[in-house]
Amino acid sequence: MQKLVDGIHEFQDSYFTSHKLLFERLAQGQQPLALFITCSDSRIDPSLLTQTQPGELFIMRNAGNIVPPYGAVLGGEAATIEFAVSVLKVQDIIVCGHSHCGAMNGLLHPEAVDELPAVRAWLTHAEATSRIMKENYKHITEAAPRLTATVEENVLVQLENLRTHPSVAAKLARGELKLHGWVYKFETGQVFAYDAEKGQYLPVEETVARSSSVSAELPSI
Amino acid sequence: MQKLVDGIHEFQDSYFTSHKLLFERLAQGQQPLALFITCSDSRIDPSLLTQTQPGELFIMRNAGNIVPPYGAVLGGEAATIEFAVSVLKVQDIIVCGHSHCGAMNGLLHPEAVDELPAVRAWLTHAEATSRIMKENYKHITEAAPRLTATVEENVLVQLENLRTHPSVAAKLARGELKLHGWVYKFETGQVFAYDAEKGQYLPVEETVARSSSVSAELPSI
Amino acid sequence: MQKLVDGIHEFQDSYFTSHKLLFERLAQGQQPLALFITCSDSRIDPSLLTQTQPGELFIMRNAGNIVPPYGAVLGGEAATIEFAVSVLKVQDIIVCGHSHCGAMNGLLHPEAVDELPAVRAWLTHAEATSRIMKENYKHITEAAPRLTATVEENVLVQLENLRTHPSVAAKLARGELKLHGWVYKFETGQVFAYDAEKGQYLPVEETVARSSSVSAELPSI
Amino acid sequence: MQKLVDGIHEFQDSYFTSHKLLFERLAQGQQPLALFITCSDSRIDPSLLTQTQPGELFIMRNAGNIVPPYGAVLGGEAATIEFAVSVLKVQDIIVCGHSHCGAMNGLLHPEAVDELPAVRAWLTHAEATSRIMKENYKHITEAAPRLTATVEENVLVQLENLRTHPSVAAKLARGELKLHGWVYKFETGQVFAYDAEKGQYLPVEETVARSSSVSAELPSI
Amino acid sequence: MQKLVDGIHEFQDSYFTSHKLLFERLAQGQQPLALFITCSDSRIDPSLLTQTQPGELFIMRNAGNIVPPYGAVLGGEAATIEFAVSVLKVQDIIVCGHSHCGAMNGLLHPEAVDELPAVRAWLTHAEATSRIMKENYKHITEAAPRLTATVEENVLVQLENLRTHPSVAAKLARGELKLHGWVYKFETGQVFAYDAEKGQYLPVEETVARSSSVSAELPSI
Amino acid sequence: MQKLVDGIHEFQDSYFTSHKLLFERLAQGQQPLALFITCSDSRIDPSLLTQTQPGELFIMRNAGNIVPPYGAVLGGEAATIEFAVSVLKVQDIIVCGHSHCGAMNGLLHPEAVDELPAVRAWLTHAEATSRIMKENYKHITEAAPRLTATVEENVLVQLENLRTHPSVAAKLARGELKLHGWVYKFETGQVFAYDAEKGQYLPVEETVARSSSVSAELPSI
Ligand SMILES: [Zn+2]
Ligand SMILES: [Zn+2]
Ligand SMILES: [Zn+2]
Ligand SMILES: [Zn+2]
Ligand SMILES: [Zn+2]
Ligand SMILES: [Zn+2]
């Protein structure tokens, strides 16, 4: 803990002092560029990764960057998403998985979470990921690529879950919101993004976001 | 979005290049110093604030830095806490509220979240905060200090909720875990911590952590 | 009730007598062509509408042809869908809304379901429909076209919900399942189907099903 | 799917054309004779079985014709029942089980639904059936009669569950609603109904409905 | 509190001293005569009322003597009932309401529990009582008799809820359990019991218990 | 049952006759001294133990004297506590465990509750107790002392859960409520109370209540 307290001192003496105006301005309100959903894993730092400053990313973090489908109404995820979309009007949501994810590893090895009832229950919301792995990836048996595929598929599954949130659905339908699926491989510093057109993950700088408006121009019968 | 992609480039060229060894080592596993629970608010950057590097803080973020009491079994918060305490063996948990918190403002002004059903439902887990404000703070009527008091009280309420989580309770009972209640006033760069002995918030560098072992030496009747 | 008992007699004397072999064969097991999800409304008869015989349609019916997103784990809808997809291996799922739907009318007029707490709670799973109407259809104010648009949008919303069901997600991902959004206008006998390419409802015979494989060819990074 | 589209054509050309007036009249509203609750099984066609026309049966269908007790407040069953009883004022509710029911088979053989988490969770609402079979039917060990008894008992269990729904309870209490327990043996075309007086299932034409008013004449102490 | 501590002293000196053997015998195990379910109201003392000794009544008490229908699976009521019926093998269950019940008063006057969210939520399980009062007792408008009728009806509603509990259902079905509905009018010392045959409450000594076996002799079709 | 009916007669002839005035006075309202939470176990009689009369103890009883943390919003415990604290204004709450508790035994031996799904689910709210026993009491392996320690620890766990209830939290914060943890060893007639200062259970007459105000004097930053 002393390290953290010392860090705060350092922050106050350096960064804060040189960015006083920024923080004062932020006291008037926030207008983040995007909602960034990622894992609680200590090896990920969204602001460092995207070189963004305070005020630029609204960040939701939990074990496994999981977004339960709408309806488990008392959950923090639904509220955080609703706040970002309806109040802060963010226009981009990124779901960012990562390499070496412990939660995804637990999904592949349920016996590992036997003594972790809360984790086990939580992984229910990644049951689609689990089933996709069991049914569609029988051919990948080696541990490392199997975990990679799980992380990748899970990001897509959580994007589907995200689409059931009313605030998200309404904004998608009128073409004002974009959803992005990313995987951060921290040991190489690379970020891959899902390219819906091509149906594959590509280096983030080469991809086109998945905007898929559902019914923006729905004509009446 | 382009700003984020550009940021990633910059990160790869600068920070990542100069910290390659760190990231390679982290691929072996994480051993974070603490579990840091804070709001999704874009104006807070826990790593910047504590000047910590990747691998040092396990971070959970949601609107209002709320920790539902254990038992709403499918929630992400319970899983994230269980993972941090039982698997990663963190020895400190910080619940960090902040000034100008929109979620806490919604708690004080329920009419403001009328059209936000998910936020409204989520704030149920801060109902104790709300009741404390209504019953015990009738004398503070001005908006700014009332919001400050709400933020402070909510951190204490969430610490109580945290104590109901089995992994936390067991570790507290044997004196191996410390809980910390912080409030970050970003516009001044200050961090206040709750001092249980004195029953008040003090600048973080002056406080003693709240360790309160519940029953570590429980003698048999 | 006497009418129903008399009807059973008539059925036994006519249809059953002439289809004995069919029923005997069906005692060996069912292999339905599709899962047909529609409203409980008495004016809809899926078998009559599609001129199918016993054994051909697996049918789920509830007020409003609603499919809660996966995770409200004790619901009948999740179980029925899982049974149809994983056990019976259906390859097509139709969500069929209809004109003059009372449930959709309740969604547009919440005050009408004030004394119906179970209906009101149930419509939570169509909250996305409700929000789409409020945010994106301000220009349609007349009752009849507004109800039509609600029925149409709700079918699309329920298709999104359906995609969160693990058995559905896994099969979609490998291209073995097709989802269809229909609206049945019983007073004219017409059926419209959603054409994802064109983004509109067309007479069912002119449309192409929405198969959208999510990740069937997902390449590993 | 083509078969279904062709069927719609046939329906439009034949049945619809000859019943245009019926459908036009139904656009004014529905007044169904009864609420018919049955399994999603494709081998059951309630309208065909009772020789009823569009507008005559309000139909709820799910795997196992299960009616969760009131209180699992977000379920489709509660809403559908409430709508039928309170809005449409139906005076009869039929719960109709059937021979060869896959859901009831799953109840007898839990190992068969091990990979079907949603089905397994759903069968919780038939736990009373399961317990009745285990405790009271030890003497019936052969598969076929054991399944038959399960189907029969489950209909009675679901009728008890139905009685906990407020709209049902209130109407039963004033003698304006009748509940009926049926079992349809599709391979012989027979329908059996539970005769509460005699405590047994009899051919439907020989039985008296179970009306049991709970407290219609409750005198004040 | 001092009064309670003094009372314990008095208990130890008098009752305990004279009943030592009873308490020693009870350390071997309990075999209660019945499960007694009543309100938490301080004015009711089930043991005093029935003049029973320790070991004779297994007692469940909550606000309003409410028994949620089975399925709200994490509730204390379901567990307590299951333990009493399946482990302790009680053969009688009494649901005992009482005059001047504050919970039932809250049911009649929802505005009185506006600031009591937990009470309001709990009364959901007496929604059937509430609806029976609204729909069937329009003619009783005076406060006192209306509350009496509510208490009486609620006992019957909770008995229906009780029947959905699997352990109860199975034992009822084989005729080994009896359910009793009582109302205790403490200001006169009277107890009324519901007589199912006559459909009314009578002084407890004049009534016949409600045993209603559901399917004890269920013959196979 | 006849014994209970006879007991009521005896009560009416003796206790009621000699306490008529008390009961008449109580018809005006109750003002209990405390909320007493204990197990449903038939061997415990709170009124006998504390030698209190009708009107003095508001009593909540369930299997295992468990208090789920606030948030499982439809539970009877939350409502009963809220009613006692907010409406009746009790100033003391006692959670009283007891020797030979069957529920606590079930917690230590999960295999014993395998066929008791409702009990198993209910014990989830004592998972912290269970984890404390597993992690911190490895050295106590003998059955009797292990059960004793479980009972003692569970009382403390339930006190923590109790503190999450908003009405309790608010009153604790302003120093108007005291929580007491007791264990009743019925075979010796002894009652032990937890002494927070000393961190151990002592004979009830020697202890000081645990009042721990959380934030009564919370100063604003
Ligand atoms: Zn991770
Ligand atoms: Zn905030
Ligand atoms: Zn409809
Ligand atoms: Zn079936
Ligand atoms: Zn009461
Ligand atoms: Zn006990």
Side-chain angles (χ1 to χ4, degrees), chain D residues 79 100 125 174 201 213:
Chain D
H100 301 280
H125 299 304
R174 58 179 190 273
Y201 279 93
S213 64

Side-chain angles (χ1 to χ4, degrees), chain C residues 94-116:
Chain C
I94 299 140
V95 174
C96 182
H98 68 101
S99 55
H100 301 280
C101 182
M104 286 306 104
N105 200 53
L107 196 67
L108 285 178
H109 304 287
E111 70 285 358
V113 294
D114 239 22
E115 296 294 306
L116 303 172

Side-chain angles (χ1 to χ4, degrees), chain C residues 4-69:
Chain C
L4 300 185
V5 175
D6 293 348
I8 292 174
H9 252 291
E10 197 189 319
F11 162 75
Q12 291 166 336
D13 288 352
S14 56
Y15 191 92
F16 182 79
T17 306
S18 61
H19 291 77
K20 251 188 183 159
L21 283 178
L22 167 66
F23 285 105
E24 275 167 26
R25 186 169 50 72
L26 287 175
Q28 308 309 313
Q30 58 178 325
Q31 284 179 301
L33 301 171
L35 164 58
F36 196 99
I37 299 173
T38 194
C39 186
S40 290
D41 194 294
S42 68
R43 296 165 295 188
I44 308 171
D45 181 343
S47 306
L48 176 69
L49 173 64
T50 58
Q51 298 284 304
T52 43
Q53 283 197 319
E56 295 187 327
L57 286 185
F58 195 74
I59 300 173
M60 179 172 108
R61 300 184 69 167
N62 61 41
N65 43 272
I66 287 171
V67 180

Side-chain angles (χ1 to χ4, degrees), chain E residues 91-214:
Chain E
Q91 297 185 359
D92 291 279
I93 303 181
I94 297 140
V95 174
C96 182
H98 68 100
S99 54
H100 300 279
C101 182
M104 287 307 105
N105 200 51
L107 197 66
L108 285 177
H109 305 287
E111 70 286 358
V113 294
D114 241 21
E115 295 294 306
L116 303 171
V119 170
R120 212 171 50 224
W122 176 234
L123 292 178
T124 298
H125 300 303
E127 190 188 316
T129 308
S130 171
R131 204 173 253 259
I132 286 172
M133 291 311 298
K134 270 187 218 158
E135 297 186 7
N136 306 357
Y137 283 86
K138 287 174 191 154
H139 55 293
I140 302 188
T141 54
E142 225 181 316
R146 195 162 174 83
L147 179 55
T148 301
T150 305
V151 168
E152 289 174 22
E153 287 288 2
N154 187 53
V155 165
L156 302 185
V157 160
Q158 303 308 329
L159 284 175
E160 287 297 335
N161 287 352
L162 193 52
R163 299 169 74 89
T164 64
H165 289 251
S167 57
V168 170
K171 229 167 168 174
L172 277 177
R174 58 181 191 274
E176 294 181 2
L177 183 66
K178 286 200 174 104
L179 307 184
H180 311 266
W182 288 9
V183 172
Y184 172 32
K185 198 172 177 176
F186 66 79
E187 68 272 37
T188 63
Q190 290 168 293
V191 176
F192 298 89
Y194 188 70
D195 186 315
E197 302 281 301
K198 304 206 177 130
Q200 60 179 119
Y201 279 95
L202 299 174
V204 69
E205 55 274 20
E206 300 171 19
T207 55
V208 176
R210 180 191 206 193
S211 66
S212 51
S213 63
V214 179

